[in-house]
Each structure stands twice: as structure tokens, then as C-alpha cells.
Amino acid sequence: METNELKNNIRRLRFEKGEMTQQRLADLVGVTRQTIIAIEQGKYSPSLLLAFQIAHAFSAPIEAVFQYEPENPALPPLSLI
């Protein structure tokens, strides 16, 4: 089974924003509730634009919403190769 290397804090941030619903977040960023569910569950990686829109909806930097966790952290970053 393929794992998603992009982790997120969307669920936690929704509850910190007064228990924002998935539907409300979806409406704010212009996608379906099913898209928000898939992103929260790590089944779908958003486009860069959508990731920024989600972060903006929470008034948070993108790094507070999404984190990249490579499957093989032992590999050096590309900039070091």
C-alpha cells in the first residue's frame, strides 16, 4: 500500500478555529467536502495552490498545516547530492 509523504494538521486546526466543519473549509477554498476528507486522511495531496489556500483559511503559514515526511529519511536532501 502506498503511503502519503505529506502529513497535515487540518483536523486539529479546524477544531482550533471553533470546530470549523469540513464543509465550511471546503467552501472557503472552493473544493468539495470529499476533497477535504481525502486530504485530512492523507489519501490525496493537494496542489500547491490549494495547500496555500487551506493555510490562508487558517491564517497560518503553510508549514503549520503541511509537513513533508520522506519515506526514506536516510537519503540526503537533493541539494546535498
Side-chain angles (χ1 to χ4, degrees):
M1 185 163 115
E2 192 173 313
T3 59
N4 192 339
E5 296 176 349
L6 190 64
K7 307 300 180 198
N8 71 75
N9 296 312
I10 294 174
R11 184 167 165 42
R12 180 181 57 80
L13 290 165
R14 284 193 305 103
F15 281 91
E16 288 177 1
K17 282 285 191 182
E19 298 190 22
M20 179 190 293
T21 64
Q22 291 167 330
Q23 185 62 58
R24 176 70 179 135
L25 178 56
D27 291 343
L28 286 171
V29 299
V31 298
T32 65
R33 184 178 64 87
Q34 289 78 10
T35 299
I36 298 299
I37 290 168
I39 294 169
E40 275 189 14
Q41 293 176 348
K43 295 180 179 178
Y44 173 74
S45 293
S47 68
L48 185 57
L49 177 60
L50 180 55
F52 274 105
Q53 289 171 327
I54 291 170
H56 182 75
F58 293 121
S59 300
I62 198 166
E63 300 87 7
V65 182
F66 297 97
Q67 300 78 42
Y68 173 70
E69 297 178 7
E71 287 183 26
N72 188 351
L75 295 176
L78 291 177
S79 62
L80 299 178
I81 296 177

